[in-house]
Amino acid sequence: MSVKLIKRSESVEGALHGHHLDSSGATGLFIILTDRVIRPAYYGFDGIESLHSWLNESQSPLSNGAPFQKRNFFADRIIDMLREAILKELSGNSTEGSLLGDLKKAWPEKFVSEEGIFSHIHAGDRIFMGTGCGEPQHLISALVNFIKSKPKAFFDIELMHVWTLGQAPYTDEEFQDNFRLDSLFIGDCTRNAVNVGAADYTPVSLSAVPSLFRREIIPIDMALIQTSPPDKHGYMSLGISVDIVKAATQKASLVTAQINSRMPRTQGDGFINIKDVDFVIPYDEPLLEYKVEDPGEIIQAIGRYVARIIEDESTIQVGYGIVPNAAASYLGEKKHLGVHTELLSDGIVDLMKKGVVDNTKKSIDTGKTVAAYCMGRTETYDFLDENPTVEFKTIDYVNNPLIIAKNQRMTAINSAIEVDLTGQSTAESMGGKFCFGIGGQADFMRGAALAPGGKSILALPSTAVNGTISRIVPSLQGGTGVTLTRGDIHYVVTEYGIAYLHGSNIRERAMDLIAIAHPKFRQWLIEEAKKLSLIYKDQTFVPGANGVYPVALETIRTTRNGLNILLRPVKIGDEPLMKDFFYALSNDSMYKRFMSARMDMPHKRLQEFGVVDYASSMMILAIIEGDNKEIIAGIGQYDMNKGMHTAEVAQVVKDEYQKMGVGHELLHYLTYLAKKRGLLGFTAEVLVENEPMLNIFKDMGFDTEKRRDEGVYEMRMMFRDLGYG
């Protein structure tokens, strides 16, 4: 079956070639219908209006003598094809407004009043509302106003959405007989209603929602959506919100679209033809914007730590909130990043504009930024309009852990309300109070953990409520929903550092997490962890400012042999690393360092190295940063000599890194730190046969005095005016 439209200016004979029709004397607008059932014929009309009238006449050969509303399916298909042909011809040079006018002429039954649309709602119906920044604000306001004017029009309507950034008047008490909200994620405007029982919350991973719609476990009676204006083919775009909206439109009994010229046309799965929409309301209004507040120093510190974890050529997912978005702002020096994310944020778009994100190294969807929805500024929406490098796909694809895991070096960055000392976290509730929701966090963290070289990062400030509450807690409160289990999280990041949990036991996790908690809560966490038997009962701790990890002392150096090392102070959670370090030393190295035949290094002895009072001591580790793991190459320390304004210094380097400049860098840095402290020099006891250590001291150019006593040099080394470069 085919349909041909002939404009007045065209050659009818040429258009009718092959149909053997007599077209002599033809004037006006023509159509040709050919089919095995309908005999080839052509009809002439003065214009669209007369053609449309003809399509509705009972005398039309397509009506089989029946009114328009009762035509058979075959005739309906021909009429749809005719309408498409008409629109294709007439919209070639149309403006947006005239195109809508043409659509209205072709589908007048779709362009009805809001009251006419809402008259199709029946008591007990479920209405899906497009959500986030794609929320059809005018349609929802019109629905509320309709029930205000006609409060008995319908009752017990269930409204469903992911969440709203706008107002939620339908949760007001005056509408409790008409509406009840069921939210898949909880926003600021609906949180109170959910927690007082005036609205519902459905805890579900968003990737599962399209299946719930398709299987009609959650049936949809009407979908209220927002789209871009249609193109000349009648296709509209869901724009910045494809996520679960596409599935809702496919299963809803009735679909109503608010056509908004400010909605960008985005590529991917979000196209919907006007034929598949039941009602249309053209109404322009600004799209909702999601503006992240300027990050303070705490959030910036977290962002810098997160950036250290992310490798070049990684594919990233950035979750909801100020913390993940701030992390994106510190990725400007990375190369060839890719994006596969549920939420497309301003931060990611900024990286695309800078060329940091080019998607060239992605394992799947190469060259494309893939997302399910966008929340951002108007400038971001403008960037997305007709942009072929960005594709919005349905959420059951974007959030599918098996799809996510196909990306090499997939890195998921998310946040949480709190995390406990065993490594489980919540992003949805605290005790019996619901705060947010599951969303897509678990899908992405698990998908990233499964990916080759993948990483899952949980980033959060160490405290909440103006510093009065610790976000790192001994255990989650009773009734709290566990969003991420102990096996889902690789890294936890606060403004105090990074804790790597993957493969760590409970004791190691607890100590690493305490090390990045806010200092004023660390002693409390230590005591609570002891009560819960999470850590050693004799675990020591330096309270107050003297025990705070001095993050500013972290520095990267390159040795004379070209070895890159991170020099940093020791952390309270470093005991497992130091245990591995000391037991990897040869007997000779152990003897030269401790001048003892004792080779064991139990917990009690390790604490002497791992728990430091920074007011009187300094312990610096030379770290080789491996694949998701730190390796200690050397340890240097000094302890202040009381009343002498000097410090006793000692260090040891792992055998495989000896003669590579590690010892020189350690002593150089310890000297710099001691001079900053105002110390005048070092003292040391060194075995006479420990020539490597003696040579390092000599190379430093100290004013040295030494005295030999039973095979040991007692050394006094005063600083000259040396800098540290």
Side-chain angles (χ1 to χ4, degrees):
M1 179 172 63
S2 63
V3 174
K4 175 69 176 180
L5 181 76
I6 313 168
K7 288 191 293 185
R8 181 180 279 109
S9 59
E10 289 184 318
S11 166
V12 177
E13 287 81 359
L16 297 179
H17 178 71
H19 294 295
H20 309 293
L21 298 174
D22 180 10
S23 60
S24 59
T27 60
L29 187 68
F30 292 83
I31 58 171
I32 300 171
L33 308 176
T34 62
D35 190 85
R36 289 175 297 179
V37 178
I38 295 182
R39 191 163 49 84
Y42 73 92
Y43 303 86
F45 305 92
D46 292 332
I48 289 292
E49 289 79 5
S50 60
L51 172 57
H52 191 273
S53 176
W54 176 82
L55 292 175
N56 289 277
E57 289 174 358
S58 60
Q59 290 79 17
S60 165
L62 301 181
S63 66
N64 296 327
F68 176 79
Q69 288 83 357
K70 296 183 179 180
R71 283 195 306 263
N72 60 41
F73 171 80
F74 182 70
D76 280 343
R77 178 62 185 133
I78 295 175
I79 290 170
D80 283 343
M81 294 177 70
L82 283 171
R83 286 170 167 163
E84 288 180 21
I86 293 167
L87 289 171
K88 184 175 181 181
E89 293 295 341
L90 294 184
S91 64
N93 297 314
S94 292
T95 63
E96 187 176 282
S98 63
L99 179 54
L100 276 175
D102 292 337
L103 290 170
K104 193 170 184 178
K105 291 175 182 178
W107 281 282
E109 68 276 11
K110 298 180 185 294
F111 291 78
V112 300
S113 67
E114 293 153 1
E115 184 172 331
I117 294 170
F118 300 141
S119 67
H120 290 269
I121 298 174
H122 304 96
D125 278 355
R126 180 181 284 112
I127 299 176
F128 172 83
M129 303 181 295
T131 50
C133 293
E135 177 183 316
Q137 304 167 71
H138 172 72
L139 272 181
I140 293 171
S141 295
L143 177 63
V144 173
N145 290 334
F146 175 79
I147 206 65
K148 273 185 178 180
S149 63
K150 297 185 177 182
K152 296 184 179 181
F154 45 71
F155 300 95
D156 298 321
I157 299 301
E158 181 180 326
L159 300 177
M160 172 166 278
H161 67 189
V162 178
W163 70 329
T164 180
L165 288 177
Q167 300 301 311
Y170 38 79
T171 62
D172 292 349
E173 186 176 356
E174 65 176 300
F175 302 120
Q176 63 180 353
D177 293 332
N178 306 105
F179 301 121
R180 185 166 180 93
L181 175 68
D182 187 357
S183 186
L184 302 172
F185 196 90
I186 303 170
D188 293 341
C189 296
T190 59
R191 186 171 297 115
N192 182 66
V194 169
N195 282 298
V196 300
D200 295 315
Y201 160 58
T202 297
V204 63
S205 293
L206 293 182
S207 59
V209 176
S211 175
L212 295 175
F213 289 167
R214 295 188 190 107
R215 295 158 59 198
E216 297 188 354
I217 293 174
I218 301 178
I220 304 296
D221 296 295
M222 179 179 283
L224 304 180
I225 64 172
Q226 184 171 209
T227 72
S228 72
D231 62 12
K232 64 183 181 180
H233 303 292
Y235 281 96
M236 305 174 290
S237 170
L238 294 173
I240 58 174
S241 183
V242 175
D243 45 80
I244 69 172
V245 177
K246 185 65 178 287
T249 64
Q250 291 169 332
K251 291 301 294 183
S253 301
L254 293 172
V255 178
T256 300
Q258 176 185 334
I259 295 179
N260 187 349
S261 65
R262 303 193 187 190
M263 176 67 83
R265 290 184 66 84
T266 58
Q267 306 300 304
D269 297 339
F271 290 109
I272 181 171
N273 198 281
I274 193 169
K275 293 184 304 181
D276 301 317
V277 171
D278 297 281
F279 302 113
V280 171
I281 297 290
Y283 192 91
D284 287 347
E285 61 184 338
L287 299 178
L288 288 168
E289 293 185 273
Y290 177 69
K291 296 180 180 179
V292 178
E293 61 187 274
D294 291 334
E297 292 182 5
I298 291 175
I299 304 301
Q300 291 177 20
I302 296 170
R304 287 191 290 268
Y305 278 122
V306 170
R308 283 172 46 176
I309 301 171
I310 298 174
E311 303 173 81
D312 290 341
E313 302 183 9
S314 296
T315 295
I316 61 172
Q317 173 260 337
V318 177
Y320 162 76
I322 184 175
V323 176
N325 196 68
S329 68
Y330 285 93
L331 302 180
E333 301 302 316
K334 304 297 179 181
K335 296 179 176 64
H336 303 301
L337 295 183
V339 173
H340 184 106
T341 187
E342 176 186 319
L343 166 64
L344 186 62
S345 64
D346 291 335
I348 292 178
V349 168
D350 290 343
L351 292 176
M352 293 182 68
K353 291 177 179 178
K354 294 175 183 177
V356 175
V357 169
D358 60 17
N359 297 295
T360 57
K361 304 299 182 180
K362 288 179 70 176
S363 308
I364 59 173
D365 299 311
T366 308
K368 304 288 186 181
T369 287
V370 172
Y373 62 92
C374 174
M375 298 196 310
R377 302 164 298 178
T378 299
E379 303 93 290
T380 292
Y381 303 153
D382 293 341
F383 176 81
L384 299 175
D385 188 44
E386 301 284 7
N387 192 329
T389 66
V390 183
E391 289 192 349
F392 284 84
K393 294 181 176 289
T394 58
I395 208 158
D396 49 349
Y397 175 86
V398 177
N399 288 29
N400 185 332
L402 298 180
I403 297 294
I404 295 166
K406 290 182 180 181
N407 290 291
Q408 286 197 344
R409 288 182 290 278
M410 182 72 211
T411 304
I413 310 165
N414 290 282
S415 194
I417 301 171
E418 63 181 19
V419 58
D420 75 13
L421 292 179
T422 69
Q424 57 186 357
S425 70
T426 182
E428 50 186 308
S429 65
M430 291 183 64
K433 182 179 180 180
F434 297 106
C435 302
F436 297 103
I438 295 174
Q441 184 177 118
D443 288 332
F444 272 96
M445 298 293 264
R446 288 164 189 164
L450 292 171
K455 301 180 178 73
S456 60
I457 303 171
L458 196 68
L460 68 165
S462 65
T463 64
V465 194
N466 297 319
T468 61
I469 297 174
S470 177
R471 288 181 181 266
I472 296 177
V473 295
S475 58
L476 299 181
Q477 301 176 42
T480 296
V482 178
T483 310
L484 299 175
T485 69
R486 299 178 180 105
D488 293 329
I489 305 170
H490 287 179
Y491 297 87
V492 177
V493 180
T494 73
E495 70 271 27
Y496 290 101
I498 303 169
Y500 183 64
L501 306 186
H502 191 51
S504 298
N505 62 41
I506 295 296
R507 174 174 50 80
E508 293 167 346
R509 287 163 174 254
M511 292 303 297
D512 282 341
L513 288 167
I514 290 170
I516 63 169
H518 193 285
K520 67 182 178 182
F521 292 109
R522 290 178 189 173
Q523 186 167 7
W524 167 69
L525 289 169
I526 287 281
E527 297 305 319
E528 292 299 310
K530 289 179 180 178
K531 293 176 184 177
L532 295 170
S533 298
L534 301 180
I535 62 175
Y536 290 116
K537 297 293 186 181
D538 64 346
Q539 180 66 52
T540 57
F541 176 74
V542 178
N546 293 348
V548 175
Y549 178 74
V551 63
L553 301 187
E554 293 183 354
T555 184
I556 295 176
R557 291 289 182 264
T558 302
T559 71
R560 60 174 179 259
N561 291 65
L563 181 66
N564 292 321
I565 56 176
L566 167 67
L567 298 180
R568 67 163 175 83
V570 70
K571 301 176 183 177
I572 195 171
D574 283 332
E575 184 173 320
L577 289 179
M578 291 190 292
K579 179 181 177 181
D580 291 343
F581 171 80
F582 283 119
Y583 280 120
L585 293 176
S586 66
N587 291 344
D588 182 62
S589 292
M590 283 285 281
Y591 180 72
K592 286 178 178 176
R593 166 61 183 88
F594 295 106
M595 292 182 282
S596 167
R598 181 180 177 182
M599 298 298 169
D600 63 322
M601 192 62 66
H603 159 69
K604 186 175 181 179
R605 194 178 184 194
L606 284 170
Q607 284 201 105
E608 299 172 5
F609 294 91
V611 181
V612 176
D613 183 339
Y614 291 108
S616 59
S617 302
M618 182 57 63
M619 178 81 66
I620 296 294
L621 307 183
I623 297 291
I624 306 294
E625 296 186 294
D627 184 18
N628 299 327
K629 186 178 180 180
E630 292 184 327
I631 299 171
I632 299 177
I635 297 177
Q637 67 183 108
Y638 71 68
D639 295 289
M640 293 175 64
N641 298 312
K642 292 182 179 181
M644 298 176 59
H645 219 53
T646 60
E648 184 177 4
V649 68
Q651 64 184 47
V652 60
V653 175
K654 199 172 183 179
D655 291 67
E656 62 192 275
Y657 294 107
Q658 292 176 8
K659 300 182 180 179
M660 297 182 69
V662 174
H664 176 82
E665 291 296 334
L666 274 171
L667 186 57
H668 216 299
Y669 194 45
L670 287 170
T671 302
Y672 165 76
L673 295 176
K675 290 176 68 177
K676 282 189 65 176
R677 182 70 64 86
L679 299 182
L680 302 177
F682 286 141
T683 61
E685 293 184 349
V686 184
L687 288 171
V688 171
E689 65 263 32
N690 192 355
E691 292 185 5
M693 190 70 250
L694 293 170
N695 289 332
I696 291 175
F697 284 144
K698 182 179 179 181
D699 290 343
M700 290 298 297
F702 298 139
D703 285 332
T704 302
E705 298 176 5
K706 59 183 180 181
R707 183 174 69 87
R708 181 168 177 167
D709 182 18
E710 297 183 357
V712 175
Y713 283 123
E714 296 178 355
M715 305 183 67
R716 184 172 182 270
M717 300 165 286
M718 305 306 292
F719 300 148
R720 293 178 179 175
D721 186 19
L722 298 175
Y724 185 76

